[in-house]
Amino acid sequence: MKTRMLIFFICCAFIINAQTQKKVHPNLNGITCKTCHSCDIPTKENPCVIPCPREKMVSIDQSPEEGPLVLTIDKFKKQTDIYAPVIFSHRLHAEMSGMSGGCKMCHHYNPPGQVIGCSDCHELIRKRTDVSKPDLKGAYHRQCMECHRTWSGKVECESCHTINGKKQETDSKTLIAKSEKRIHPKIIAPTILKFNTPKATGKVVTFYHSQHVDLFGLECQSCHTNESCVKCHAKDKTALLKAKTTEQKHAVCSSCHNTKQNCSSCHFNSVQEGFNHAVKTGFDISKFHGKISCSTCHTEKGKFTGLNSECINCHGKWTQENFQHKVTGVILDETHQALECTDCHQEKNYSKPICSSCHEDKSFPKNVPGKLIKKNG
Amino acid sequence: MVNQSRRDFLKTAALAGTAVTGLSSKTKAAPKNILSEDRMGVLVDTTVCIGCRKCEWACKTAHNLETPSIEVYDDRSVFQTMRRPNSKSLTVVNEYKNSVEEKFPINVKVQCMHCDHPACVSACIVGAFSKEENGSVIWDTDKCIGCRYCMVACPFQVPAFEFESALKPDIKKCDFCFERTKEGKLPACTEICPVEAVTYGQREDLVKAAHQKIKNYPDRYINRVFGEYEVGGTSWIYLASKEFEKLDFPKLGKDPAPGVSEAIQHGIFAYFVPPVALYALLGGVMWINKNKKKSENEEI
Ligand code: SF4
Ligand code: SF4
Ligand code: SF4
């Protein structure tokens, strides 16, 4: 009896847990509870969130418009009498973060569902027992200073805070109104970038930015990580152009390309055409494979060579069941439907069919084994 | 009060300690020179510190030292010279070049380390210094005779001598904000720090947290928690991105420094108590007895 009760209670706990889990995290794409929680049944009181190695945390990006426009950070009002609350232009900062890591730059622990604010994890009171993560004030300032320091090299408190009791030029209401209007212009991605390098042969690198995004499926943050405002807005650009080592220059490329060898795959003497699978490999993907991402076929990470172009390599043996002939633009008539694929398509890439094994006087495309339709896509 | 078994009496200064507690039997003073397992500490993360020097300001304010207005502390030109804590500034922040990321110089806050086996305590011939249950190493101004042995003994060169008042010589150093923590407040510097580069907590937890940080961010930190073992452990412990010796931390072994100073002290004073010290000690006894009487009177 006792064990039955126990099982009943455990079941109840799991059901309740599953329900609340759905409520708290509506779309857990492929993430299990254990990605973030160390115990079996996390509760609000004891979420048992695993210690925070940021880079391993799950983060979901939202658009800046979904967040608040301006926030007045006055959580510490009671604790400090030195500095006045900060009026924080959240929208502007969210837009700026697009180039440097997105929401997760600040909301580094951000599972699917509602965005988790800083104060959900970081304690308001500094005198606390859990010292494994900074308190709220520390967490805020660490985030701010990470970028603001690169901006001016200074850490003046007064660039964000006003000092209590000191006469101010603008009151907080006007400041809030002003902050609401501050929007970062949309960052427009370039199509092509041409780099002139100091290399004697292979001076020019043509970088198709659009292809890397649209075709190769990279996110902004795949390359643009930890780029602070200075990257675009530096007052002193020479500091940025300052001698970088070859390694530093290639850093952004080398996460995917082997930049230690194969220089000539990017370095040419003139501007190059964009990537074309047919030209480069002899396998034309524009007909049937144009819309899938590289990694669908090239499954081994970072390796894009050595695939066999025979259909069977990826698709297995074609049969009536797994192949809809109409995608080729021909709906087969009943007679031809009954045949094996290889009866007509004797080449390994299933290209042009031959009719001569049955019909001496017929050939494709003069004669069609069914009905021609318009191909979609 | 904490369970007796959770404490480890400091051998070096137990004598002075028991003498004092013995004399003031009726006043329930907190036990001295013990190493409580619950003792507090501070974790200084030099990779987080931004060198805003607000801690310097807060420390002075909390100790009623002459303090310029807070805006003055935005001036970073002070970093051009290396500074040491002195009688007017119990803590100072220095700056070092960061060769990896120039925009983020390394700032290091310096103050008393509140050693677990403090050399100053065992060097003090009148027992003015003590290691308190909460981890702080403090001294009794009224007992101090100005001999400056603590200055010589301290492996971190922390205690400073107040030269101004010749009549009432006194040592000055960070007291871990003893008065504030007694009232349940945070040490002033740890309270004000905007980025919480200085985290106040139980030393045990801080050591754990420090190692967790190193494990999580092996690129950010070198694999060493300064003060975990140095001179037998200190209450203030440090994390850094490069070797501590390059940040002007002294090169120290794991053995408590008192061993060294004790030998010196005992060599000199084994059969000889300097008259001043004796005088001070007697003075101390009188003072305690007076207090005892007072409190007895109050009790009536
Ligand atoms: S310890 Fe904190 S208050 Fe002191 S300089 Fe560093 S960041 Fe500023
Ligand atoms: S650092 Fe020096 S003054 Fe501070 S406790 Fe240690 S020995 Fe004493
Ligand atoms: S603990 Fe107190 S005395 Fe020591 S440095 Fe901090 S503020 Fe100054």
Side-chain angles (χ1 to χ4, degrees):
Chain A
M1 187 65 200
K2 254 188 188 168
T3 31
R4 260 196 224 164
M5 285 284 276
L6 196 71
I7 292 168
F8 174 74
F9 277 123
I10 291 175
C11 287
C12 282
F14 270 107
I15 291 163
I16 293 167
N17 183 41
Q19 280 173 348
T20 39
Q21 175 203 319
K22 268 219 176 111
K23 230 160 91 203
V24 184
H25 313 298
N27 56 8
L28 283 170
N29 311 332
I31 299 157
T32 72
C33 309
K34 287 281 158 109
T35 317
C36 307
H37 304 278
S38 62
C39 55
D40 287 327
I41 303 171
T43 59
K44 202 162 182 214
E45 289 69 40
N46 176 27
C48 59
V49 176
I50 55 170
C52 173
R54 290 182 178 217
E55 50 276 18
K56 286 191 203 126
M57 287 297 175
V58 198
S59 275
I60 302 300
D61 266 315
Q62 327 241 347
S63 76
E65 292 73 40
E66 289 173 70
L69 205 53
V70 175
L71 290 171
T72 305
I73 303 171
D74 54 4
K75 290 209 157 74
F76 311 102
K77 228 179 187 167
K78 287 196 196 98
Q79 290 177 30
T80 168
D81 48 2
I82 307 170
Y83 296 106
V86 167
I87 292 157
F88 175 62
S89 47
H90 182 276
R91 170 80 56 85
L92 178 68
H93 282 81
E95 284 162 343
M96 289 189 292
S97 77
M99 283 286 281
S100 44
C103 306
K104 65 172 170 285
M105 261 207 99
C106 298
H107 298 280
H108 55 93
Y109 177 60
N110 190 15
Q114 213 182 357
V115 173
I116 289 186
C118 309
S119 58
D120 287 350
C121 300
H122 296 276
E123 283 175 63
L124 185 64
I125 308 294
R126 181 159 284 188
K127 204 174 163 203
R128 62 200 191 278
T129 44
D130 178 13
V131 288
S132 65
K133 51 182 182 280
D135 76 325
L136 187 60
K137 181 169 118 177
Y140 275 142
H141 281 113
R142 286 187 197 187
Q143 292 291 7
C144 306
M145 293 320 294
E146 190 91 8
C147 296
H148 281 243
R149 267 168 103 196
T150 60
W151 183 239
S152 67
K154 290 183 189 148
V155 294
E156 293 137 344
C157 307
E158 280 183 86
S159 46
C160 301
H161 294 272
T162 53
I163 294 186
N164 273 332
K166 200 170 160 181
K167 217 186 157 294
Q168 300 304 328
E169 282 158 27
T170 30
D171 61 297
S172 59
K173 258 201 189 138
T174 333
L175 266 178
I176 293 175
K178 245 176 145 180
S179 299
E180 280 175 354
K181 288 205 194 89
R182 293 175 67 196
I183 301 284
H184 193 279
K186 206 167 163 40
I187 299 164
I188 297 160
T191 312
I192 302 183
L193 291 171
K194 208 185 94 193
F195 294 100
N196 275 315
T197 72
K199 242 173 148 305
T201 49
K203 210 172 152 50
V204 183
V205 173
T206 323
F207 176 69
Y208 281 81
H209 190 281
S210 56
Q211 280 199 334
H212 279 79
V213 177
D214 302 334
L215 193 60
F216 312 147
L218 297 181
E219 300 278 338
C220 303
Q221 294 98 30
S222 314
C223 303
H224 300 279
T225 47
N226 290 326
E227 279 175 11
S228 67
C229 317
V230 184
K231 179 91 195 261
C232 298
H233 298 279
K235 288 173 201 147
D236 177 13
K237 295 249 195 244
T238 51
L240 287 178
L241 297 171
K242 217 181 48 184
K244 276 188 183 169
T245 62
T246 319
E247 227 162 79
Q248 283 169 334
K249 277 183 204 157
H250 288 93
V252 104
C253 311
S254 54
S255 52
C256 297
H257 300 272
N258 180 353
T259 52
K260 291 244 162 70
Q261 292 157 10
N262 323 331
C263 307
S264 61
S265 48
C266 299
H267 286 266
F268 294 92
N269 289 323
S270 58
V271 174
Q272 297 296 302
E273 287 286 310
F275 179 75
N276 183 327
H277 206 278
V279 174
K280 196 98 180 165
T281 70
F283 182 65
D284 187 2
I285 56 165
S286 62
K287 261 198 213 141
F288 298 116
H289 303 84
K291 282 198 175 148
I292 52 178
S293 76
C294 310
S295 61
T296 311
C297 304
H298 300 278
T299 47
E300 200 177 325
K301 201 172 174 263
K303 203 169 165 237
F304 294 96
T305 50
L307 282 197
N308 188 330
S309 62
E310 287 171 23
C311 307
I312 199 168
N313 190 42
C314 296
H315 297 281
K317 192 171 180 290
W318 288 130
T319 63
Q320 296 246 18
E321 282 72 45
N322 68 12
F323 189 76
Q324 301 265 333
H325 202 279
K326 69 173 182 208
V327 299
T328 66
V330 176
I331 298 181
L332 295 177
D333 58 30
E334 259 177 50
T335 328
H336 287 94
Q337 260 178 33
L339 300 175
E340 287 285 318
C341 307
T342 44
D343 288 343
C344 306
H345 300 282
Q346 288 175 355
E347 278 178 48
K348 289 202 165 149
N349 63 1
Y350 293 81
S351 58
K352 215 174 149 194
I354 46 163
C355 313
S356 56
S357 20
C358 303
H359 315 278
E360 264 173 34
D361 55 340
K362 291 197 171 149
S363 72
F364 186 82
K366 215 166 92 196
N367 308 99
V368 178
K371 203 169 95 194
L372 270 180
I373 52 159
K374 229 181 138 216
K375 257 199 287 180
N376 45 3
Chain B
M1 222 193 269
V2 191
N3 189 339
Q4 193 77 8
S5 67
R6 281 176 68 73
R7 297 187 202 135
D8 164 22
F9 276 81
L10 290 185
K11 274 178 248 121
T12 51
L15 195 73
T18 36
V20 173
T21 34
L23 283 168
S24 54
S25 55
K26 265 220 165 165
T27 46
K28 258 197 187 160
K32 307 258 184 227
N33 301 320
I34 56 162
L35 219 47
S36 157
E37 273 182 35
D38 309 320
R39 66 190 182 282
M40 305 306 279
V42 170
L43 171 60
V44 186
D45 190 336
T46 60
T47 70
V48 168
C49 175
I50 52 172
C52 68
R53 295 170 60 223
K54 295 295 176 288
C55 47
E56 292 185 21
W57 180 86
C59 181
K60 284 193 187 204
T61 310
H63 290 82
N64 296 320
L65 295 163
E66 202 190 318
T67 320
S69 87
I70 199 158
E71 291 123 293
V72 174
Y73 286 79
D74 284 340
D75 173 22
R76 291 182 85 85
S77 67
V78 288
F79 291 135
Q80 276 155 21
T81 46
M82 284 297 147
R83 297 176 302 148
R84 296 284 316 162
N86 59 33
S87 62
K88 294 191 185 69
S89 314
L90 311 183
T91 182
V92 293
V93 180
N94 284 321
E95 185 161 291
Y96 300 85
K97 240 182 128 156
N98 183 350
S99 44
V100 186
E101 182 54 83
E102 235 172 86
K103 290 255 179 196
F104 297 104
I106 301 166
N107 291 101
V108 181
K109 179 183 181 298
V110 188
Q111 73 298 308
C112 170
M113 299 288 285
H114 298 276
C115 307
D116 284 345
H117 303 275
C120 54
V121 170
S122 45
C124 182
I125 51 174
V126 292
F129 265 99
S130 58
K131 172 90 177 168
E132 298 294 312
E133 189 165 7
N134 70 358
S136 43
V137 174
I138 54 169
W139 72 104
D140 186 338
T141 300
D142 295 334
K143 281 190 203 158
C144 176
I145 52 167
C147 70
R148 297 188 227 175
Y149 283 129
C150 52
M151 282 175 76
V152 182
C154 172
F156 299 98
Q157 298 171 32
V158 164
F161 195 68
E162 192 153 50
F163 291 99
E164 275 79 45
S165 47
L167 284 177
K168 202 186 133 288
D170 198 8
I171 283 292
K172 287 261 173 202
K173 74 166 193 75
C174 154
D175 60 358
F176 211 168
C177 284
F178 194 68
E179 294 305 319
R180 285 175 60 94
T181 52
K182 216 160 57 185
E183 291 166 19
K185 288 189 202 158
L186 286 165
C189 56
T190 65
E191 182 179 271
I192 200 165
C193 179
V195 290
E196 208 185 31
V198 276
T199 310
Y200 179 76
Q202 277 193 15
R203 184 182 184 270
E204 221 183 318
D205 298 341
L206 295 171
V207 171
K208 261 189 228 144
H211 282 290
Q212 187 65 44
K213 280 186 177 201
I214 294 174
K215 203 174 133 211
N216 286 352
Y217 308 106
D219 296 339
R220 185 181 179 123
Y221 301 105
I222 59 160
N223 188 9
R224 181 175 168 198
V225 181
F226 189 96
E228 185 180 5
Y229 300 115
E230 279 71 12
V231 289
T234 55
S235 286
W236 282 58
I237 54 173
Y238 283 73
L239 281 173
S241 57
K242 67 176 185 188
E243 293 78 56
F244 288 98
E245 282 72 25
K246 288 197 180 134
L247 303 171
D248 288 341
F249 282 74
K251 214 177 156 76
L252 298 166
K254 288 187 178 182
D255 289 335
V260 187
S261 55
E262 229 177 347
I264 306 169
Q265 186 194 325
H266 290 173
I268 302 172
F269 297 116
Y271 309 102
F272 162 71
V273 180
V276 200
L278 188 63
Y279 186 72
L281 192 64
L282 289 175
V285 172
M286 276 165 67
W287 181 83
I288 288 161
N289 280 342
K290 196 177 82 194
N291 268 11
K292 199 168 150 189
K293 259 196 202 130
K294 215 166 97 190
S295 60
E296 269 168 5
N297 285 344
E298 276 163 10
E299 269 167 28
I300 297 168

